[in-house]
PDB file of all heavy atoms in Angstrom:
ATOM      1  N   ASP I   1       6.398 -13.897  47.966  1.00 67.00           N
ATOM      2  CA  ASP I   1       6.279 -14.078  46.519  1.00 67.00           C
ATOM      3  C   ASP I   1       7.582 -14.567  45.908  1.00 67.00           C
ATOM      4  O   ASP I   1       7.576 -15.339  44.953  1.00 67.00           O
ATOM      5  CB  ASP I   1       5.858 -12.762  45.853  1.00 67.00           C
ATOM      6  CG  ASP I   1       4.381 -12.467  46.057  1.00 67.00           C
ATOM      7  OD1 ASP I   1       3.666 -13.349  46.580  1.00 67.00           O
ATOM      8  OD2 ASP I   1       3.951 -11.363  45.680  1.00 67.00           O
ATOM      9  N   GLU I   2       8.694 -14.133  46.488  1.00 72.00           N
ATOM     10  CA  GLU I   2       9.994 -14.563  45.972  1.00 72.00           C
ATOM     11  C   GLU I   2      10.189 -16.066  46.140  1.00 72.00           C
ATOM     12  O   GLU I   2      10.859 -16.706  45.341  1.00 72.00           O
ATOM     13  CB  GLU I   2      11.121 -13.805  46.677  1.00 72.00           C
ATOM     14  CG  GLU I   2      11.170 -12.340  46.318  1.00 72.00           C
ATOM     15  CD  GLU I   2      12.232 -11.592  47.101  1.00 72.00           C
ATOM     16  OE1 GLU I   2      13.052 -12.230  47.795  1.00 72.00           O
ATOM     17  OE2 GLU I   2      12.238 -10.359  47.028  1.00 72.00           O
ATOM     18  N   ASP I   3       9.596 -16.626  47.183  1.00 78.00           N
ATOM     19  CA  ASP I   3       9.693 -18.070  47.405  1.00 78.00           C
ATOM     20  C   ASP I   3       8.615 -18.829  46.634  1.00 78.00           C
ATOM     21  O   ASP I   3       8.838 -19.960  46.199  1.00 78.00           O
ATOM     22  CB  ASP I   3       9.559 -18.388  48.898  1.00 78.00           C
ATOM     23  CG  ASP I   3      10.697 -17.787  49.714  1.00 78.00           C
ATOM     24  OD1 ASP I   3      11.800 -17.610  49.151  1.00 78.00           O
ATOM     25  OD2 ASP I   3      10.468 -17.481  50.903  1.00 78.00           O
ATOM     26  N   ARG I   4       7.438 -18.228  46.494  1.00 85.00           N
ATOM     27  CA  ARG I   4       6.320 -18.900  45.831  1.00 85.00           C
ATOM     28  C   ARG I   4       6.564 -19.072  44.340  1.00 85.00           C
ATOM     29  O   ARG I   4       6.267 -20.122  43.778  1.00 85.00           O
ATOM     30  CB  ARG I   4       5.034 -18.090  46.026  1.00 85.00           C
ATOM     31  CG  ARG I   4       4.367 -18.346  47.314  1.00 85.00           C
ATOM     32  CD  ARG I   4       2.963 -17.727  47.307  1.00 85.00           C
ATOM     33  NE  ARG I   4       2.484 -17.749  48.670  1.00 85.00           N
ATOM     34  CZ  ARG I   4       2.356 -16.682  49.444  1.00 85.00           C
ATOM     35  NH1 ARG I   4       2.620 -15.491  48.975  1.00 85.00           N
ATOM     36  NH2 ARG I   4       1.948 -16.797  50.676  1.00 85.00           N
ATOM     37  N   PHE I   5       7.045 -18.018  43.691  1.00 84.00           N
ATOM     38  CA  PHE I   5       7.186 -18.085  42.237  1.00 84.00           C
ATOM     39  C   PHE I   5       8.080 -19.234  41.768  1.00 84.00           C
ATOM     40  O   PHE I   5       7.682 -19.983  40.873  1.00 84.00           O
ATOM     41  CB  PHE I   5       7.664 -16.745  41.660  1.00 84.00           C
ATOM     42  CG  PHE I   5       7.592 -16.712  40.172  1.00 84.00           C
ATOM     43  CD1 PHE I   5       6.375 -16.571  39.526  1.00 84.00           C
ATOM     44  CD2 PHE I   5       8.735 -16.859  39.402  1.00 84.00           C
ATOM     45  CE1 PHE I   5       6.295 -16.562  38.153  1.00 84.00           C
ATOM     46  CE2 PHE I   5       8.668 -16.855  38.028  1.00 84.00           C
ATOM     47  CZ  PHE I   5       7.439 -16.700  37.394  1.00 84.00           C
ATOM     48  N   PRO I   6       9.267 -19.435  42.341  1.00 87.00           N
ATOM     49  CA  PRO I   6      10.079 -20.579  41.893  1.00 87.00           C
ATOM     50  C   PRO I   6       9.379 -21.925  42.101  1.00 87.00           C
ATOM     51  O   PRO I   6       9.496 -22.822  41.265  1.00 87.00           O
ATOM     52  CB  PRO I   6      11.351 -20.487  42.736  1.00 87.00           C
ATOM     53  CG  PRO I   6      11.444 -19.063  43.137  1.00 87.00           C
ATOM     54  CD  PRO I   6      10.020 -18.593  43.267  1.00 87.00           C
ATOM     55  N   SER I   7       8.638 -22.050  43.190  1.00 89.00           N
ATOM     56  CA  SER I   7       7.948 -23.331  43.413  1.00 89.00           C
ATOM     57  C   SER I   7       6.820 -23.531  42.404  1.00 89.00           C
ATOM     58  O   SER I   7       6.607 -24.644  41.923  1.00 89.00           O
ATOM     59  CB  SER I   7       7.425 -23.422  44.845  1.00 89.00           C
ATOM     60  OG  SER I   7       6.385 -22.506  45.058  1.00 89.00           O
ATOM     61  N   ILE I   8       6.117 -22.454  42.073  1.00 89.00           N
ATOM     62  CA  ILE I   8       5.068 -22.538  41.045  1.00 89.00           C
ATOM     63  C   ILE I   8       5.703 -22.881  39.700  1.00 89.00           C
ATOM     64  O   ILE I   8       5.199 -23.729  38.964  1.00 89.00           O
ATOM     65  CB  ILE I   8       4.278 -21.211  40.970  1.00 89.00           C
ATOM     66  CG1 ILE I   8       3.416 -21.038  42.224  1.00 89.00           C
ATOM     67  CG2 ILE I   8       3.416 -21.151  39.717  1.00 89.00           C
ATOM     68  CD1 ILE I   8       2.750 -19.691  42.345  1.00 89.00           C
ATOM     69  N   TYR I   9       6.808 -22.234  39.410  1.00 89.00           N
ATOM     70  CA  TYR I   9       7.506 -22.489  38.145  1.00 89.00           C
ATOM     71  C   TYR I   9       7.921 -23.956  38.044  1.00 89.00           C
ATOM     72  O   TYR I   9       7.664 -24.609  37.025  1.00 89.00           O
ATOM     73  CB  TYR I   9       8.730 -21.566  38.030  1.00 89.00           C
ATOM     74  CG  TYR I   9       9.477 -21.746  36.745  1.00 89.00           C
ATOM     75  CD1 TYR I   9       9.079 -21.088  35.602  1.00 89.00           C
ATOM     76  CD2 TYR I   9      10.580 -22.600  36.673  1.00 89.00           C
ATOM     77  CE1 TYR I   9       9.759 -21.258  34.409  1.00 89.00           C
ATOM     78  CE2 TYR I   9      11.266 -22.777  35.484  1.00 89.00           C
ATOM     79  CZ  TYR I   9      10.853 -22.103  34.361  1.00 89.00           C
ATOM     80  OH  TYR I   9      11.508 -22.275  33.183  1.00 89.00           O
ATOM     81  N   GLU I  10       8.545 -24.467  39.054  1.00 90.00           N
ATOM     82  CA  GLU I  10       9.011 -25.857  39.030  1.00 90.00           C
ATOM     83  C   GLU I  10       7.852 -26.845  38.940  1.00 90.00           C
ATOM     84  O   GLU I  10       7.951 -27.872  38.278  1.00 90.00           O
ATOM     85  CB  GLU I  10       9.853 -26.146  40.270  1.00 90.00           C
ATOM     86  CG  GLU I  10      11.194 -25.463  40.256  1.00 90.00           C
ATOM     87  CD  GLU I  10      11.958 -25.623  41.569  1.00 90.00           C
ATOM     88  OE1 GLU I  10      11.594 -26.525  42.359  1.00 90.00           O
ATOM     89  OE2 GLU I  10      12.888 -24.838  41.800  1.00 90.00           O
ATOM     90  N   ARG I  11       6.751 -26.521  39.604  1.00 91.00           N
ATOM     91  CA  ARG I  11       5.612 -27.429  39.632  1.00 91.00           C
ATOM     92  C   ARG I  11       4.904 -27.499  38.276  1.00 91.00           C
ATOM     93  O   ARG I  11       4.510 -28.579  37.828  1.00 91.00           O
ATOM     94  CB  ARG I  11       4.623 -26.980  40.713  1.00 91.00           C
ATOM     95  CG  ARG I  11       3.457 -27.948  40.891  1.00 91.00           C
ATOM     96  CD  ARG I  11       2.506 -27.546  42.012  1.00 91.00           C
ATOM     97  NE  ARG I  11       3.235 -27.208  43.224  1.00 91.00           N
ATOM     98  CZ  ARG I  11       3.015 -26.089  43.935  1.00 91.00           C
ATOM     99  NH1 ARG I  11       2.091 -25.243  43.570  1.00 91.00           N
ATOM    100  NH2 ARG I  11       3.709 -25.839  45.024  1.00 91.00           N
ATOM    101  N   TYR I  12       4.724 -26.360  37.605  1.00 92.00           N
ATOM    102  CA  TYR I  12       3.880 -26.319  36.404  1.00 92.00           C
ATOM    103  C   TYR I  12       4.637 -26.261  35.080  1.00 92.00           C
ATOM    104  O   TYR I  12       4.037 -26.435  34.025  1.00 92.00           O
ATOM    105  CB  TYR I  12       2.905 -25.149  36.490  1.00 92.00           C
ATOM    106  CG  TYR I  12       1.959 -25.314  37.646  1.00 92.00           C
ATOM    107  CD1 TYR I  12       1.993 -24.429  38.715  1.00 92.00           C
ATOM    108  CD2 TYR I  12       1.064 -26.370  37.690  1.00 92.00           C
ATOM    109  CE1 TYR I  12       1.150 -24.584  39.793  1.00 92.00           C
ATOM    110  CE2 TYR I  12       0.212 -26.537  38.771  1.00 92.00           C
ATOM    111  CZ  TYR I  12       0.261 -25.642  39.812  1.00 92.00           C
ATOM    112  OH  TYR I  12      -0.575 -25.805  40.876  1.00 92.00           O
ATOM    113  N   MET I  13       5.930 -26.021  35.106  1.00 90.00           N
ATOM    114  CA  MET I  13       6.691 -25.925  33.865  1.00 90.00           C
ATOM    115  C   MET I  13       6.586 -27.186  33.011  1.00 90.00           C
ATOM    116  O   MET I  13       6.318 -27.098  31.810  1.00 90.00           O
ATOM    117  CB  MET I  13       8.150 -25.572  34.167  1.00 90.00           C
ATOM    118  CG  MET I  13       8.962 -25.202  32.937  1.00 90.00           C
ATOM    119  SD  MET I  13       9.914 -26.545  32.254  1.00 90.00           S
ATOM    120  CE  MET I  13      10.920 -27.015  33.608  1.00 90.00           C
ATOM    121  N   PRO I  14       6.726 -28.403  33.553  1.00 92.00           N
ATOM    122  CA  PRO I  14       6.598 -29.599  32.705  1.00 92.00           C
ATOM    123  C   PRO I  14       5.208 -29.718  32.067  1.00 92.00           C
ATOM    124  O   PRO I  14       5.094 -30.079  30.888  1.00 92.00           O
ATOM    125  CB  PRO I  14       6.853 -30.764  33.668  1.00 92.00           C
ATOM    126  CG  PRO I  14       7.645 -30.170  34.791  1.00 92.00           C
ATOM    127  CD  PRO I  14       7.151 -28.761  34.924  1.00 92.00           C
ATOM    128  N   LEU I  15       4.176 -29.405  32.818  1.00 92.00           N
ATOM    129  CA  LEU I  15       2.819 -29.466  32.286  1.00 92.00           C
ATOM    130  C   LEU I  15       2.648 -28.479  31.132  1.00 92.00           C
ATOM    131  O   LEU I  15       2.101 -28.825  30.078  1.00 92.00           O
ATOM    132  CB  LEU I  15       1.795 -29.160  33.384  1.00 92.00           C
ATOM    133  CG  LEU I  15       0.358 -28.977  32.916  1.00 92.00           C
ATOM    134  CD1 LEU I  15      -0.214 -30.293  32.397  1.00 92.00           C
ATOM    135  CD2 LEU I  15      -0.499 -28.410  34.029  1.00 92.00           C
ATOM    136  N   LEU I  16       3.113 -27.255  31.322  1.00 92.00           N
ATOM    137  CA  LEU I  16       2.955 -26.224  30.294  1.00 92.00           C
ATOM    138  C   LEU I  16       3.760 -26.570  29.047  1.00 92.00           C
ATOM    139  O   LEU I  16       3.310 -26.318  27.922  1.00 92.00           O
ATOM    140  CB  LEU I  16       3.354 -24.855  30.846  1.00 92.00           C
ATOM    141  CG  LEU I  16       2.535 -24.379  32.055  1.00 92.00           C
ATOM    142  CD1 LEU I  16       2.977 -22.995  32.485  1.00 92.00           C
ATOM    143  CD2 LEU I  16       1.051 -24.415  31.779  1.00 92.00           C
ATOM    144  N   ARG I  17       4.926 -27.153  29.233  1.00 92.00           N
ATOM    145  CA  ARG I  17       5.718 -27.596  28.075  1.00 92.00           C
ATOM    146  C   ARG I  17       4.972 -28.680  27.303  1.00 92.00           C
ATOM    147  O   ARG I  17       4.970 -28.690  26.079  1.00 92.00           O
ATOM    148  CB  ARG I  17       7.076 -28.122  28.530  1.00 92.00           C
ATOM    149  CG  ARG I  17       8.029 -27.035  29.000  1.00 92.00           C
ATOM    150  CD  ARG I  17       9.358 -27.648  29.283  1.00 92.00           C
ATOM    151  NE  ARG I  17       9.686 -28.433  28.103  1.00 92.00           N
ATOM    152  CZ  ARG I  17      10.737 -28.271  27.338  1.00 92.00           C
ATOM    153  NH1 ARG I  17      11.602 -27.442  27.641  1.00 92.00           N
ATOM    154  NH2 ARG I  17      10.950 -28.985  26.273  1.00 92.00           N
ATOM    155  N   THR I  18       4.334 -29.582  28.022  1.00 92.00           N
ATOM    156  CA  THR I  18       3.564 -30.655  27.384  1.00 92.00           C
ATOM    157  C   THR I  18       2.394 -30.080  26.591  1.00 92.00           C
ATOM    158  O   THR I  18       2.130 -30.507  25.460  1.00 92.00           O
ATOM    159  CB  THR I  18       3.046 -31.652  28.446  1.00 92.00           C
ATOM    160  OG1 THR I  18       4.158 -32.166  29.175  1.00 92.00           O
ATOM    161  CG2 THR I  18       2.272 -32.781  27.809  1.00 92.00           C
ATOM    162  N   ILE I  19       1.697 -29.119  27.181  1.00 91.00           N
ATOM    163  CA  ILE I  19       0.565 -28.490  26.495  1.00 91.00           C
ATOM    164  C   ILE I  19       1.047 -27.820  25.211  1.00 91.00           C
ATOM    165  O   ILE I  19       0.441 -27.988  24.145  1.00 91.00           O
ATOM    166  CB  ILE I  19      -0.137 -27.473  27.414  1.00 91.00           C
ATOM    167  CG1 ILE I  19      -0.845 -28.194  28.563  1.00 91.00           C
ATOM    168  CG2 ILE I  19      -1.133 -26.621  26.625  1.00 91.00           C
ATOM    169  CD1 ILE I  19      -1.382 -27.274  29.647  1.00 91.00           C
ATOM    170  N   ALA I  20       2.125 -27.054  25.298  1.00 91.00           N
ATOM    171  CA  ALA I  20       2.641 -26.352  24.118  1.00 91.00           C
ATOM    172  C   ALA I  20       3.074 -27.349  23.044  1.00 91.00           C
ATOM    173  O   ALA I  20       2.792 -27.155  21.851  1.00 91.00           O
ATOM    174  CB  ALA I  20       3.793 -25.432  24.508  1.00 91.00           C
ATOM    175  N   GLY I  21       3.738 -28.420  23.452  1.00 89.00           N
ATOM    176  CA  GLY I  21       4.164 -29.434  22.484  1.00 89.00           C
ATOM    177  C   GLY I  21       2.989 -30.117  21.817  1.00 89.00           C
ATOM    178  O   GLY I  21       3.016 -30.394  20.608  1.00 89.00           O
ATOM    179  N   SER I  22       1.942 -30.393  22.579  1.00 90.00           N
ATOM    180  CA  SER I  22       0.767 -31.062  22.013  1.00 90.00           C
ATOM    181  C   SER I  22      -0.017 -30.146  21.081  1.00 90.00           C
ATOM    182  O   SER I  22      -0.802 -30.618  20.269  1.00 90.00           O
ATOM    183  CB  SER I  22      -0.150 -31.564  23.125  1.00 90.00           C
ATOM    184  OG  SER I  22      -0.767 -30.480  23.786  1.00 90.00           O
ATOM    185  N   ARG I  23       0.208 -28.861  21.179  1.00 88.00           N
ATOM    186  CA  ARG I  23      -0.467 -27.892  20.309  1.00 88.00           C
ATOM    187  C   ARG I  23       0.327 -27.597  19.046  1.00 88.00           C
ATOM    188  O   ARG I  23       0.013 -26.664  18.313  1.00 88.00           O
ATOM    189  CB  ARG I  23      -0.720 -26.599  21.071  1.00 88.00           C
ATOM    190  CG  ARG I  23      -1.657 -26.797  22.229  1.00 88.00           C
ATOM    191  CD  ARG I  23      -2.768 -25.883  22.104  1.00 88.00           C
ATOM    192  NE  ARG I  23      -3.856 -26.225  22.974  1.00 88.00           N
ATOM    193  CZ  ARG I  23      -5.065 -25.840  22.734  1.00 88.00           C
ATOM    194  NH1 ARG I  23      -5.324 -25.128  21.686  1.00 88.00           N
ATOM    195  NH2 ARG I  23      -6.032 -26.158  23.554  1.00 88.00           N
ATOM    196  N   GLY I  24       1.401 -28.366  18.810  1.00 87.00           N
ATOM    197  CA  GLY I  24       2.139 -28.237  17.566  1.00 87.00           C
ATOM    198  C   GLY I  24       3.186 -27.140  17.542  1.00 87.00           C
ATOM    199  O   GLY I  24       3.643 -26.745  16.474  1.00 87.00           O
ATOM    200  N   ILE I  25       3.577 -26.650  18.683  1.00 88.00           N
ATOM    201  CA  ILE I  25       4.614 -25.626  18.747  1.00 88.00           C
ATOM    202  C   ILE I  25       5.964 -26.308  18.508  1.00 88.00           C
ATOM    203  O   ILE I  25       6.258 -27.342  19.114  1.00 88.00           O
ATOM    204  CB  ILE I  25       4.605 -24.918  20.123  1.00 88.00           C
ATOM    205  CG1 ILE I  25       3.242 -24.287  20.401  1.00 88.00           C
ATOM    206  CG2 ILE I  25       5.713 -23.878  20.209  1.00 88.00           C
ATOM    207  CD1 ILE I  25       2.795 -23.248  19.412  1.00 88.00           C
ATOM    208  N   PRO I  26       6.814 -25.745  17.646  1.00 88.00           N
ATOM    209  CA  PRO I  26       8.135 -26.343  17.416  1.00 88.00           C
ATOM    210  C   PRO I  26       8.936 -26.424  18.709  1.00 88.00           C
ATOM    211  O   PRO I  26       8.832 -25.555  19.580  1.00 88.00           O
ATOM    212  CB  PRO I  26       8.804 -25.375  16.428  1.00 88.00           C
ATOM    213  CG  PRO I  26       7.687 -24.637  15.788  1.00 88.00           C
ATOM    214  CD  PRO I  26       6.586 -24.581  16.796  1.00 88.00           C
ATOM    215  N   TYR I  27       9.739 -27.462  18.813  1.00 87.00           N
ATOM    216  CA  TYR I  27      10.509 -27.727  20.031  1.00 87.00           C
ATOM    217  C   TYR I  27      11.316 -26.511  20.480  1.00 87.00           C
ATOM    218  O   TYR I  27      11.378 -26.208  21.666  1.00 87.00           O
ATOM    219  CB  TYR I  27      11.422 -28.933  19.805  1.00 87.00           C
ATOM    220  CG  TYR I  27      12.213 -29.320  21.020  1.00 87.00           C
ATOM    221  CD1 TYR I  27      11.613 -30.037  22.051  1.00 87.00           C
ATOM    222  CD2 TYR I  27      13.550 -28.955  21.154  1.00 87.00           C
ATOM    223  CE1 TYR I  27      12.335 -30.389  23.185  1.00 87.00           C
ATOM    224  CE2 TYR I  27      14.276 -29.301  22.278  1.00 87.00           C
ATOM    225  CZ  TYR I  27      13.660 -30.010  23.294  1.00 87.00           C
ATOM    226  OH  TYR I  27      14.371 -30.345  24.421  1.00 87.00           O
TER     227      TYR I  27
END
């Protein structure tokens, strides 16, 4: 799990940031 979590974070963080930005969340 210690190895999986950072890889999941790196993989999905840009997508989640895009979703939040498209939903009108302030930068």
Side-chain angles (χ1 to χ4, degrees):
D1 284 352
E2 291 176 9
D3 296 332
R4 277 192 192 108
F5 190 75
S7 68
I8 290 172
Y9 181 84
E10 289 173 17
R11 185 177 312 131
Y12 297 115
M13 191 264 302
L15 171 68
L16 300 182
R17 288 186 50 120
T18 303
I19 292 171
S22 70
R23 296 235 166 203
I25 302 300
Y27 182 78

